Each structure stands twice: as structure tokens, then as C-alpha cells.
Amino acid sequence: MKRMDPEKKSRRGARGGVSKIEALLDRGVLIPHPESVFISDEVDVTRISGQGVVLWPGTRICGEKTFIDKGAGIGTEGPAMIQDCQLGANVELKSGFYEKSVFFKDVSMGWGSHVRKGCLLEEGVKTAHAVGLKQTILFPFVTLGSLINFCDCLMSGGTGPRDHSEVGSAYIHFNYTPNQDKATPSLLGDAPRGVMLNQPPIFLGGQGGLVGPRRVAFGTVVAAGCVHRVDALEPHFLFTGEKGKGRRIKRRPGLYPGIGGVVENNFIYLANLIALTQWHRHVRSLFVSDDAFPRPLFSGAALILHMAVEERLKRLRELFEKAPPLKKHLPEWEEIEGFFIHFKTPGETRRQRDPFLERVAPLIGQWGKDYIRVIQNLPVHVSRQGTGWLQGIIDMIQNKMSETLPGLI
């Protein structure tokens, strides 16, 4: 009886069939030490490219929705676990844990990353080591330093790898209040202008923090060591922190000062999510191709945005149910929730949208399905037209919320 090579035997399934590891090796995936890599049974190996993908020792891949495009590297600096994530071309996840999130091409995550569900990292996003994210959306080129907790944020700004929005090392987005609620999403930049990749970057200095929910304008600089507690709605301002010594103040639990502003910022954040969803549906969809922007990335991003809307509504409803100033508005909540979940594009915004899309199509014919190149080559007046379309959606949503909750926002 012919004896089987022990190494080959280790790559076969329990019943002698070809194992997932063997199937990936046959596809051309590079696995330097196959015995140290785990692929769960539900993983579809046909969704893992054989072109330049490397699974380093200590890699664990799970989830039937997992997709890994060409040139991706997993575990280059240590063990890494992937659970139902979609990875674009040349993504590098150096080590850590990644769950139900989407990474567009050229994203790089440093050692010890902890990316929980609901994250969308667009082209060229980079982080150093030990960064924690959840329900986080980062537009192209955004860069995060080390030892950062940056959950429940949307950040845009910058024009390229050398002109990007940045969060300094040891930064925290404070997203949990003393009253134990998480209706605290912060909007850094915005969707209507941020998607055009032509706005000045935002800089949040290291060893600092942002107390959500806040809004921060493009071009804002917050000095290192500052904990920022107010909206920064005018562009190109430097914030250097609060003056004076700390104070001791008698605290009364259950108070909700400035609750109208909290609700307003939540609705503005939701409106930006809706605008970004429309952008993906009508603009990003034009760039779907097997080579440049595979459909699993597009579908994964759509799911992330839907999840983001649901998460924000869940957290906001919890606030309405517990905060005394908001409880009287609970009868309107079902209408509010339905409005966002089943959002319908109003006719007037479609009239702005369609001429913009007509001007994008020729550039795709000229430059191909290179999203960054096409968007950055839009004439200024066309970019403004696209921004007007998306801002019109946000304005309409804000007006609707003001009508639904008169006197609150």
C-alpha cells in the first residue's frame, strides 16, 4: 500500500477529500507554513484570489462572506483572524482581529488591530499598531497612528497619500456617556464634500480625545493633548484646549444638558450616512469590475452602510426611551425610524443627481474604472454639482426632522 506524504495528509479533510488549505494552494495562494493556518468549513475558497495573496503563519479565516482580492497579505506581523470581511487588492492586515468589515484596495492595518463589525475603510487608509475600530467609516487616505480607540466616527478630508486627514497616536473618541448611552457618533468632515477628495485635511493631535457626538469642519487642527468637547463648524481653525484649572462640580445623574444638540448631531450623522449610501448606489456602482472594484466589495460596503444606519437608530432610540426630555417624543419614533430605513430619494434631488452622473460617465470612458483618478479629475463645477446633490439630501432630512420634532432641534 502506497504511503501518503505526512505533509500532504495534513492538508486533506477528515474523509480524505481535498482540504481548504490544499484547495487554496492549488489556486496559487502562498501559504509558507500550511499547518499553522486555519480555514473554517464555511469559507468559499473561490472568493479568495490566487494572485499574490499570502496567508502568513497564524492566520485564521472564517465566514462564508469572506472575500480576499489579489495581492492581499494576512498576518505579516503576527497572528490574524478574519471573520466575514471583504478585502480589496493589496490590503495588508498585519495582525489582530477583523470582523464583518470592508477594506477597499491598498488599506494597511498595523500590528494588533482590533476591527469590530460595521467598519468601512476606503482606498489607501492606513493605521499603525494597536488601533481599535467599530462602526467606523474612513474615507480614502485617512491615516491613524498607534494606540487609538476610534469607534462610531465618520472621517473624511484630504486629497491623497501625502495630504490626508490624520489622527495622532494615543487618541480616543469618547463614545460612551456617564448616563450609559452611545448616541455619540462624530462627523469629521462630511459626505457631500468628502467624497470629492478635494477638501483640506483634518488633524487631531496625539494624546487627545473627542467627546462625541461632535461635528468637525474640514481644515480643523486640534493640538496634541487636547480633549475636544465642542463642535468645530468653521473651517481652518486651530484648537489648543481649554484654559484654566480643573473644577469640582456637584453631579446629578440623569441630567441631559444640551440634549437638543445631541439629537441634532445624531440626525445630521444619519443624514450623511444616507447621502453616502446614495453615492455608493449611484456612483460607486459605476466602477464595479472584476479587476478594479469587485462586486463583493461593493455589496459589502452597501451592507456596512445599512448596518450603520440601523446602529445609529438603535442607539438614538435608547436615548429617547431613557432621557426625560425626549420621552414625550417617543410616539413620533416609529415614523422617524421608518423614514430612515426606507428612505426614498425625493424628485428634486434626482434632478440634481442625473446631470452629475451624465458628466461622470465620459471620464470613466477616458480613465477607466479607476475611482480615485476619475473623481479627482472631475471639473470643479461638476464636483460642486455632485456636492449639491448630496447636500440637498441632507438638507431635506434635516428639514423633515425639524418638522417631526418641532422645538427640539
Side-chain angles (χ1 to χ4, degrees):
M1 181 176 180
K2 185 177 179 180
R3 298 183 64 185
M4 181 180 292
D5 183 328
E7 181 178 346
K8 189 172 183 179
K9 184 177 180 180
S10 70
R11 300 175 193 166
R12 292 191 176 273
R15 299 182 180 179
V18 176
S19 72
K20 300 286 185 178
I21 297 293
E22 185 78 5
L24 288 173
L25 289 168
D26 290 344
R27 287 178 60 80
V29 176
L30 180 61
I31 310 177
H33 197 275
E35 289 74 17
S36 69
V37 172
F38 173 78
I39 311 294
S40 64
D41 290 341
E42 74 276 7
V43 172
D44 182 353
V45 296
T46 66
R47 289 169 62 89
I48 300 177
S49 173
Q51 301 179 47
V53 170
V54 184
L55 306 182
W56 293 98
T59 296
R60 296 163 60 192
I61 300 178
C62 306
E64 61 183 1
K65 295 181 180 178
T66 293
F67 171 84
I68 303 176
D69 202 7
K70 56 185 177 293
I74 314 296
T76 53
E77 293 183 352
M81 178 175 178
I82 313 298
Q83 170 76 46
D84 277 323
C85 292
Q86 294 81 50
L87 280 57
N90 306 316
V91 167
E92 185 177 22
L93 306 183
K94 296 180 180 180
S95 85
F97 174 79
Y98 306 86
E99 174 194 20
K100 296 181 180 177
S101 293
V102 180
F103 307 83
F104 287 175
K105 70 177 183 178
D106 300 324
V107 169
S108 175
M109 301 291 298
W111 175 90
S113 298
H114 193 244
V115 180
R116 289 177 285 169
K117 65 181 181 180
C119 295
L120 172 59
L121 279 61
E122 298 191 345
E123 291 87 349
V125 167
K126 290 180 171 37
T127 77
H129 70 272
V131 170
L133 307 176
K134 178 176 65 69
Q135 295 290 334
T136 302
I137 298 173
L138 303 178
F139 279 31
F141 317 123
V142 171
T143 299
L144 278 58
S146 302
L147 305 171
I148 288 172
N149 190 315
F150 208 61
C151 303
D152 298 304
C153 296
L154 184 154
M155 188 173 198
S156 57
T159 61
R162 296 189 178 183
D163 178 50
H164 55 263
S165 288
E166 178 150 351
V167 180
S169 294
Y171 201 89
I172 299 174
H173 177 244
F174 296 101
N175 64 334
Y176 191 69
T177 77
N179 288 320
Q180 303 181 32
D181 66 79
K182 297 186 74 173
T184 52
S186 286
L187 183 66
L188 299 106
D190 59 44
R193 290 174 292 171
V195 295
M196 299 305 169
L197 308 179
N198 60 5
Q199 293 299 306
I202 296 165
F203 183 85
L204 304 179
Q207 288 196 322
L210 181 67
V211 180
R214 297 273 67 91
R215 287 185 284 153
V216 176
F218 292 110
T220 296
V221 174
V222 179
C226 297
V227 176
H228 196 71
R229 292 180 167 88
V230 298
D231 290 338
L233 303 181
E234 295 183 70
H236 303 293
F237 271 83
L238 167 66
F239 292 84
T240 59
E242 299 175 356
K243 297 181 180 179
K245 298 180 180 180
R247 297 177 295 164
R248 189 180 74 163
I249 302 172
K250 182 68 176 178
R251 177 177 176 266
R252 295 174 57 191
L255 290 182
Y256 291 84
I259 192 68
V262 169
V263 172
E264 181 180 23
N265 278 359
N266 271 266
F267 282 138
I268 291 173
Y269 192 94
L270 274 160
N272 273 267
L273 290 177
I274 295 295
L276 185 57
T277 298
Q278 293 294 309
W279 176 263
H280 276 252
R281 183 175 299 166
H282 297 289
V283 180
R284 281 279 189 179
S285 61
L286 302 175
F287 295 86
V288 171
S289 71
D290 292 339
D291 182 59
F293 187 51
R295 183 159 292 278
L297 293 180
F298 173 74
S299 301
L303 179 60
I304 292 295
L305 293 171
H306 180 74
M307 289 169 57
V309 171
E310 289 188 328
E311 173 72 8
R312 300 278 55 96
L313 288 171
K314 171 187 172 183
R315 300 300 184 180
L316 194 54
R317 182 186 183 114
E318 290 171 353
L319 183 63
F320 269 68
E321 290 173 340
K322 69 189 294 189
L326 300 181
K327 286 183 178 179
K328 64 182 179 181
H329 296 289
L330 271 175
E332 288 79 48
W333 183 258
E334 186 174 344
E335 177 187 352
I336 292 169
E337 193 171 53
F339 172 79
F340 282 105
I341 293 294
H342 306 292
F343 179 80
K344 295 181 180 179
T345 306
E348 59 191 59
T349 60
R350 287 198 298 268
R351 286 192 291 272
Q352 292 177 298
R353 178 195 71 200
D354 293 345
F356 170 74
L357 296 178
E358 290 173 2
R359 288 167 173 79
V360 172
L363 285 177
I364 296 177
Q366 179 180 354
W367 299 109
K369 296 198 173 185
D370 184 334
Y371 173 79
I372 299 294
R373 194 173 189 182
V374 169
I375 297 304
Q376 291 190 324
N377 277 281
L378 290 173
V380 172
H381 72 281
V382 176
S383 292
R384 288 174 178 167
Q385 189 175 37
T387 293
W389 155 45
L390 298 178
Q391 189 60 50
I393 293 173
I394 291 173
D395 293 344
M396 183 274 292
I397 292 173
Q398 287 184 262
N399 291 337
K400 173 67 175 177
M401 293 302 101
S402 295
E403 293 171 1
T404 305
L405 301 170
L408 179 61
I409 57 175

